Amino acid sequence: MSKSRTISVEVCSYSLYSCLAADQAGADRVELCASPWEGGTSPSAGLVVEALSQTSLGIHVMVRARGGDFCYDSHEKKTMLAEIDQFITLGVHGMVIGALTPTGDIDINFLKEVKYIVGESAELTCHRAIDVSREPIEVMEALIELGFDRILTSGQKNKAMEGIEAIATMVEASQGRIQIMAGSGVNPQNCLQLVDAGVDAVHLSARTTRESDMIYRRPGISMGGVAEISEFEIAYSSQEIIRETVLKIKNC
C-alpha cells in the first residue's frame, strides 16, 4: 500500500458493547444497526445517543425500515425519512442507506430526497443494496452524481473475497470520485488482499459470542420463532479481532 493512502476501518456494530470495543481497538467508525439476522435495520435512538456520548468514533447509522429487499413502499420511505430527521438532530456523523426500484435500478427519486434532507450535515454511504442491483457500475455513477461519499460492497457475492475482482473493477471505474469500502467476511487474514484491490476502507463485524448469564432456561420455546438461533448466545464484536485488523492495515 502506498504511504499516501489512508485506509479506514469500519465496524458493523449492533450494541454499545461493540461500539466500545471498536473504539478501544482503534477503528475509525461504526455502522450502527439493529437486527443482525435481517442484515441490519435502523438502530434505536437510545443506542445512538449512548454511542455518540461514550465513544470518539464516527457514528454512522443504518437507515432501513425492515429486512428483506430494498424496494420500499411509500410508508417505509416516510419512516426512513423521519428516522433521518431524528438522526440528524441527534448529531450522527453519517448515514447508511440504499434503495432500488422493482427492476433493480437505483431509486433515484427517493435517494435525491434523502440527500436533500441530509445536505452537508452527515456523510452518506450506500450499503450492499448495490450488490443486488441490475447494473452496479451504473448505480455507482448515479450515487456519485447524487453526492454520496461511500459505497459498501461485497462485489455482488456473498463474501468480499469472492467478489474481489468486481470490487477492483469498481475501484478502477470510480477514479477516486467516491470511496469504495469492502465488506462481508472481512477479517485479519484477508483484509490486506482487499487493500491491495484498491479499496478506501474495510468493513467487518469481528463477530464472536458469549454465553448468556441466564441460569434458568425454559425449554421448548423461542421468542424469535427460529429454533436454530439460540437466545442464550450473545453476539458482539471482538476487540481483539478489530485491533488485529486495524494494526495490519495501519502498518502495511
Side-chain angles (χ1 to χ4, degrees):
M1 184 184 79
S2 168
K3 290 299 182 182
S4 62
R5 279 179 66 203
T6 300
I7 310 301
S8 59
V9 176
E10 177 178 285
V11 176
C12 183
S13 175
Y14 294 91
S15 66
L16 180 60
Y17 186 98
S18 294
C19 290
L20 294 170
D23 196 18
Q24 292 161 6
D28 297 286
R29 60 181 173 269
V30 295
E31 178 196 64
L32 194 55
C33 310
S35 302
W37 304 115
E38 294 185 294
T41 58
S42 305
S44 71
L47 178 54
V48 174
V49 168
E50 290 304 301
L52 285 166
S53 66
Q54 295 199 40
T55 75
S56 59
L57 292 162
I59 305 298
H60 291 220
V61 294
M62 175 72 81
V63 181
R64 190 178 177 212
R66 56 162 173 77
D69 64 38
F70 302 103
C71 183
Y72 302 109
D73 64 28
S74 60
H75 302 294
E76 291 163 340
K77 289 176 183 179
K78 287 178 181 177
T79 298
M80 290 191 284
L81 293 175
E83 289 176 331
I84 287 170
D85 277 332
Q86 183 181 44
F87 291 146
I88 290 171
T89 299
L90 292 175
V92 302
H93 306 109
M95 294 184 226
V96 184
I97 190 168
L100 300 175
T101 66
T103 56
D105 299 305
I106 188 173
D107 190 338
I108 195 74
N109 291 328
F110 175 57
L111 294 182
K112 276 183 179 178
E113 193 169 2
V114 168
K115 177 58 181 175
Y116 177 78
I117 293 171
V118 173
E120 301 302 319
S121 63
E123 293 185 359
L124 281 174
T125 299
C126 178
H127 54 48
R128 290 177 64 210
I130 195 170
D131 288 323
V132 293
S133 67
R134 186 174 57 84
E135 293 288 350
I137 297 298
E138 289 183 12
V139 171
M140 181 194 74
E141 292 294 341
L143 292 167
I144 292 169
E145 184 69 22
L146 283 170
F148 270 61
D149 300 280
R150 187 177 298 107
I151 291 169
L152 170 62
T153 180
S154 60
Q156 299 85 65
K157 300 292 185 181
N158 283 328
K159 301 297 182 183
M161 286 303 297
E162 298 169 6
I164 192 167
E165 291 184 7
I167 293 172
T169 297
M170 185 173 285
V171 167
E172 184 176 3
S174 72
Q175 297 181 326
R177 294 171 295 159
I178 192 168
Q179 293 181 35
I180 306 300
M181 176 167 60
S184 186
V186 176
N187 58 50
Q189 288 70 49
N190 62 29
C191 62
L192 293 185
Q193 291 174 261
L194 293 161
V195 169
D196 287 342
V199 300
D200 303 284
V202 296
H203 168 102
L204 73 160
S205 63
R207 186 180 184 274
T208 189
T209 60
R210 65 169 176 83
E211 274 290 296
S212 165
D213 291 332
M214 285 295 297
I215 298 171
Y216 174 72
R217 303 183 180 189
R218 180 179 290 278
I221 184 169
S222 173
M223 291 294 104
V226 182
E228 292 79 10
I229 300 175
S230 172
E231 284 154 2
F232 302 106
E233 185 179 82
I234 311 302
Y236 63 96
S237 298
S238 162
Q239 184 178 152
E240 290 74 22
I241 294 173
I242 300 167
R243 180 177 290 109
E244 186 178 354
T245 304
V246 168
L247 289 175
K248 282 198 171 185
I249 287 176
K250 302 304 181 185
N251 293 328
C252 70

